[in-house]
Amino acid sequence: MADHIRVAIAGYGNLGRGVEAALAQNPDMRLVGVFSRRDSASVTPLDSQVPVYPMSEIETFADDIDVMVLCGGSKTDLPEQGPYLAQFFTTVDSFDTHATVNDYHAALDTPARKAGTVALMSVGWDPGLFSLNRAFGEAVLAEGETYSFWGKGLSQGHSQAVRSVDGVKKGVQYTLPSEDAIARVRRGEQPELSTREKHVRECYVVLEDGADADTVRDTIVNMPHYFADYDTEVHFIDDETFARDHSAMPHGGFVIRSGVTGDGNKQSIEYSLALGSNPEFTASALVAYARAAYRLAQRGESGARTVFDVAPGLLSPKDPAQLRKELL
Amino acid sequence: MADHIRVAIAGYGNLGRGVEAALAQNPDMRLVGVFSRRDSASVTPLDSQVPVYPMSEIETFADDIDVMVLCGGSKTDLPEQGPYLAQFFTTVDSFDTHATVNDYHAALDTPARKAGTVALMSVGWDPGLFSLNRAFGEAVLAEGETYSFWGKGLSQGHSQAVRSVDGVKKGVQYTLPSEDAIARVRRGEQPELSTREKHVRECYVVLEDGADADTVRDTIVNMPHYFADYDTEVHFIDDETFARDHSAMPHGGFVIRSGVTGDGNKQSIEYSLALGSNPEFTASALVAYARAAYRLAQRGESGARTVFDVAPGLLSPKDPAQLRKELL
């Protein structure tokens, strides 16, 4: 066993940068390198000492890396990279296409079992910490309703989906909770609300020269899983406005479980996040779960895993007796 | 494997009644019976069909019960009953004497390992769900401060400690957060606060005839672990006032992790509970973790466990694929 958990990053955008920053806050882990499909010279880690390698050579590092943190997008990168890299590495990713989680789980599970690696998927805050709070809420309060609200905030996965559309030069997507829906939940009404009743989606797009706005708008609002089921607004803006108003990446939201026990006693559990940087927070969750994935693999476990399968103590650098003494 | 998880309750006060009520909300579990040291005829379960057995016969039920939920107090009942019952049953308890958790863990671990049972300790909301949120918070946001606040609410463990004092006929204890401390945390000051700076403790006591008020007050405020480290006020009231003002058992509180990532981005995680009935909520957590303890034992695990050791998916009646599909 190495002195440090040896971690590498596959894909170096906002999320990859966040993982590098989070690793620097965790002294039991060490960043071995960054893998990118881009020309290595054009990739500049925060720490200039961190080596950058071409993605095409990643297999040759199988013996040098304990955990590979996958920082690509869910729409096209992860469905391909996840199952491929699970053949060589214990991996952690933030796959967030809710509709296909079980397909992705199956696609990871086979190569990971065969290789004896752990493939820990859908880590972050939603999916991830919000998922856990939905599970805890309904397990503890068996009779009740669970509500997840997001925003106002920038969604990385949906912004990437917007940017994948032909004709889009720059794009961001914000999710906003419906004020009316929140008010009803907080009054304890336990209303039935569809996801589209709870939120609206706003996209801000800079078009490529010559792109047709109506075609771009139609492609976005009809995109399955991402936008088709929501009220989606698309705003077209220029480069200057985009740079001025849409460069920060805040987010937040909450999960509420509103339940009843015994002879009608109301019980409420609320989990909320106020995030100055969404990618840095997601990255911080990935790094904590990278520690857990490493420990699961060290124990001889293999196969696909989600946050539901990971005992919370495995996330902490503290040993079990210290955790009990300090935090129980 | 039985059709239902067969559960029994050891000790039938407010918490035991809450466990009975929670089991009725979970159709995969069945209450086999209640064990009490009191005369069985004087113990009246919510459901009159539930059999009541003397605690002295509990060993003879080893083959009939999958999980024993221990509903005694942490001060005198659990340190004795926990290690004893772990010899015969997979157990779940709400042990809450923070200062001695590792001693209690060791006392459970030996008999449980020997018997092949799981002894899951310190389940509830604090310790329990609050402990988990402290662990998640510091694992995900490595640089930051964690704050736990309680109340205003009635504390079961501390009320029982008050009632254990000679001369006390009836007693309750409320924990109140310090308003000043909360305000500082919410401003993002990350202040250093001792537990006694964050909270005050208020006790309401009805004295036995002839008991000396000053002696009772001194015994309470100097009780180690429970009161000695806090600002504690003791109020003496009469039976009528007690019945009118101190019969409900609400509670609540929150855990805040205030952290920083990357280049100084503020990140905040807040977990809060608003509980109409503290014992019913603690009981609901015990029942969800009883399901998990059963599953751990079915897998062949044995020994003492805490919430840190339990994968969250084990709490849910849903199977892993359903959990992923519905909650991830």
Side-chain angles (χ1 to χ4, degrees):
Chain A
M1 196 167 115
D3 285 319
H4 293 80
I5 304 173
R6 300 167 301 170
V7 180
I9 296 169
Y12 196 77
N14 287 326
L15 187 59
R17 241 186 315 277
V19 169
E20 184 184 355
L23 286 168
Q25 294 182 313
N26 286 276
D28 61 329
M29 310 175 94
R30 188 165 61 81
L31 178 57
V32 174
V34 165
F35 292 86
S36 175
R37 284 173 305 198
R38 287 181 281 153
D39 174 17
S40 296
S42 74
V43 177
T44 53
L46 301 170
D47 175 353
S48 60
Q49 302 297 305
V50 171
V52 179
Y53 304 108
M55 193 73 88
S56 56
E57 293 174 15
I58 197 166
E59 290 185 29
T60 65
F61 288 81
D63 294 336
D64 306 311
I65 291 161
D66 295 313
V67 186
M68 183 68 69
V69 183
L70 278 51
C71 297
S74 297
K75 202 169 151 56
T76 56
D77 298 333
L78 294 177
E80 192 177 302
Q81 290 176 355
Y84 167 68
L85 293 174
Q87 299 176 95
F88 312 105
F89 304 99
T90 280
T91 63
V92 183
D93 72 48
S94 60
F95 184 81
D96 69 354
T97 308
H98 295 274
T100 58
V101 286
N102 275 323
D103 296 335
Y104 186 62
H105 186 274
L108 292 175
D109 198 49
T110 305
R113 282 184 193 277
K114 197 166 166 192
T117 61
V118 170
L120 182 49
M121 62 178 272
S122 300
V123 168
W125 60 277
D126 198 2
L129 300 175
F130 270 25
S131 317
L132 285 178
N133 278 280
R134 288 188 282 265
F136 278 117
E138 67 174 38
V140 172
L141 295 174
E143 290 183 17
E145 291 292 333
T146 304
Y147 300 89
S148 301
F149 289 91
W150 300 273
K152 177 183 179 172
L154 186 140
S155 160
Q156 292 170 278
H158 287 76
S159 294
Q160 182 150 344
V162 168
R163 289 191 292 266
S164 74
V165 172
D166 278 349
V168 172
K169 182 177 173 190
K170 295 176 184 170
V172 293
Q173 193 266 181
Y174 300 98
T175 308
L176 288 78
S178 152
E179 292 298 331
D180 177 58
I182 293 183
R184 294 181 62 196
V185 170
R186 286 206 161 136
R187 281 197 298 270
E189 287 185 25
Q190 297 199 6
E192 280 194 33
L193 295 167
S194 68
T195 308
R196 74 181 296 159
E197 285 175 307
K198 283 192 298 182
H199 298 92
V200 297
R201 295 193 182 278
E202 277 184 2
C203 306
Y204 291 84
V205 168
V206 181
L207 290 171
E208 298 274 13
D209 284 348
D212 179 64
D214 287 343
T215 307
V216 168
R217 178 185 282 109
D218 283 353
T219 307
I220 292 172
V221 303
N222 293 310
M223 196 183 293
H225 309 323
Y226 282 83
F227 295 104
D229 298 333
Y230 290 80
D231 288 328
T232 302
E233 289 182 8
V234 182
H235 306 279
F236 296 101
I237 57 178
D238 61 24
D239 269 305
E240 194 182 324
T241 308
F242 191 94
R244 187 189 65 218
D245 296 344
H246 302 284
S247 297
M249 288 173 284
H251 215 317
F254 47 93
V255 175
I256 304 178
R257 178 69 175 179
S258 173
V260 173
T261 62
D263 213 14
N265 286 305
K266 286 195 180 185
Q267 313 275 16
S268 175
I269 309 173
E270 185 164 334
Y271 183 79
S272 65
L273 298 173
L275 308 178
S277 164
N278 182 7
E280 285 177 8
F281 189 83
T282 300
S284 296
L286 281 167
V287 166
Y289 274 95
R291 181 183 291 117
Y294 169 74
R295 290 171 171 174
L296 291 175
Q298 287 286 113
R299 289 180 179 184
E301 291 201 26
S302 67
R305 296 288 186 279
T306 71
V307 293
F308 300 129
D309 305 313
V310 179
L314 295 176
L315 275 65
S316 173
K318 295 178 176 174
D319 70 46
Q322 190 184 6
L323 268 182
R324 289 191 295 269
K325 185 174 177 355
E326 296 181 8
L327 301 182
L328 201 61
Chain B
M1 196 166 116
D3 284 320
H4 293 80
I5 304 173
R6 299 167 303 170
V7 181
I9 296 169
Y12 197 77
N14 286 326
L15 187 59
R17 241 186 316 276
V19 169
E20 184 184 356
L23 286 169
Q25 295 182 312
N26 286 276
D28 61 329
M29 310 176 93
R30 188 165 61 80
L31 178 56
V32 174
V34 165
F35 293 86
S36 174
R37 285 173 306 200
R38 286 180 282 153
D39 174 18
S40 296
S42 74
V43 177
T44 54
L46 301 170
D47 175 353
S48 60
Q49 303 297 304
V50 171
V52 179
Y53 304 107
M55 193 73 88
S56 56
E57 293 175 14
I58 196 166
E59 290 184 29
T60 64
F61 288 81
D63 295 335
D64 306 311
I65 290 161
D66 295 312
V67 187
M68 183 67 70
V69 183
L70 278 51
C71 296
S74 297
K75 202 169 149 59
T76 56
D77 297 334
L78 294 177
E80 194 176 301
Q81 290 176 355
Y84 166 69
L85 293 174
Q87 299 176 94
F88 311 105
F89 303 99
T90 280
T91 63
V92 182
D93 72 49
S94 60
F95 184 80
D96 69 354
T97 308
H98 296 275
T100 58
V101 285
N102 275 323
D103 296 336
Y104 185 63
H105 186 273
L108 292 175
D109 197 49
T110 305
R113 281 183 192 276
K114 199 168 165 191
T117 61
V118 169
L120 182 49
M121 62 179 272
S122 300
V123 168
W125 61 276
D126 198 1
L129 299 176
F130 269 26
S131 316
L132 285 179
N133 277 279
R134 289 188 281 265
F136 278 117
E138 68 174 37
V140 172
L141 295 173
E143 289 184 17
E145 292 293 332
T146 304
Y147 300 89
S148 302
F149 289 91
W150 300 273
K152 177 184 180 173
L154 187 139
S155 161
Q156 292 171 278
H158 287 76
S159 294
Q160 180 148 346
V162 167
R163 291 192 291 266
S164 74
V165 171
D166 277 349
V168 172
K169 183 178 173 188
K170 295 177 184 168
V172 292
Q173 194 266 179
Y174 299 98
T175 308
L176 290 77
S178 153
E179 293 297 333
D180 177 58
I182 292 183
R184 293 182 60 197
V185 170
R186 286 206 162 135
R187 280 197 298 269
E189 286 185 23
Q190 297 199 5
E192 279 194 34
L193 295 167
S194 68
T195 307
R196 73 181 297 159
E197 285 174 306
K198 283 192 297 183
H199 298 91
V200 298
R201 295 193 181 278
E202 277 184 1
C203 305
Y204 292 83
V205 168
V206 181
L207 290 170
E208 299 274 13
D209 286 348
D212 180 62
D214 287 343
T215 306
V216 168
R217 178 185 282 110
D218 283 353
T219 307
I220 292 172
V221 303
N222 294 310
M223 195 183 293
H225 309 323
Y226 283 83
F227 295 104
D229 297 332
Y230 289 81
D231 288 328
T232 303
E233 289 183 8
V234 181
H235 306 278
F236 296 102
I237 58 178
D238 61 24
D239 269 306
E240 193 183 323
T241 308
F242 191 94
R244 188 189 64 217
D245 297 343
H246 302 284
S247 296
M249 287 174 283
H251 215 317
F254 47 93
V255 176
I256 303 177
R257 178 69 175 179
S258 173
V260 173
T261 61
D263 212 17
N265 286 305
K266 287 195 178 184
Q267 312 274 16
S268 176
I269 308 173
E270 184 163 334
Y271 183 78
S272 64
L273 297 173
L275 308 178
S277 164
N278 183 8
E280 285 178 7
F281 189 83
T282 300
S284 296
L286 282 167
V287 166
Y289 275 96
R291 180 183 291 118
Y294 169 74
R295 289 172 171 174
L296 291 174
Q298 287 286 112
R299 287 181 180 184
E301 291 201 25
S302 67
R305 295 287 187 277
T306 71
V307 292
F308 300 129
D309 305 313
V310 179
L314 296 176
L315 275 66
S316 173
K318 295 178 177 174
D319 70 45
Q322 190 184 6
L323 268 181
R324 289 191 296 267
K325 186 173 175 356
E326 296 181 7
L327 302 182
L328 200 60

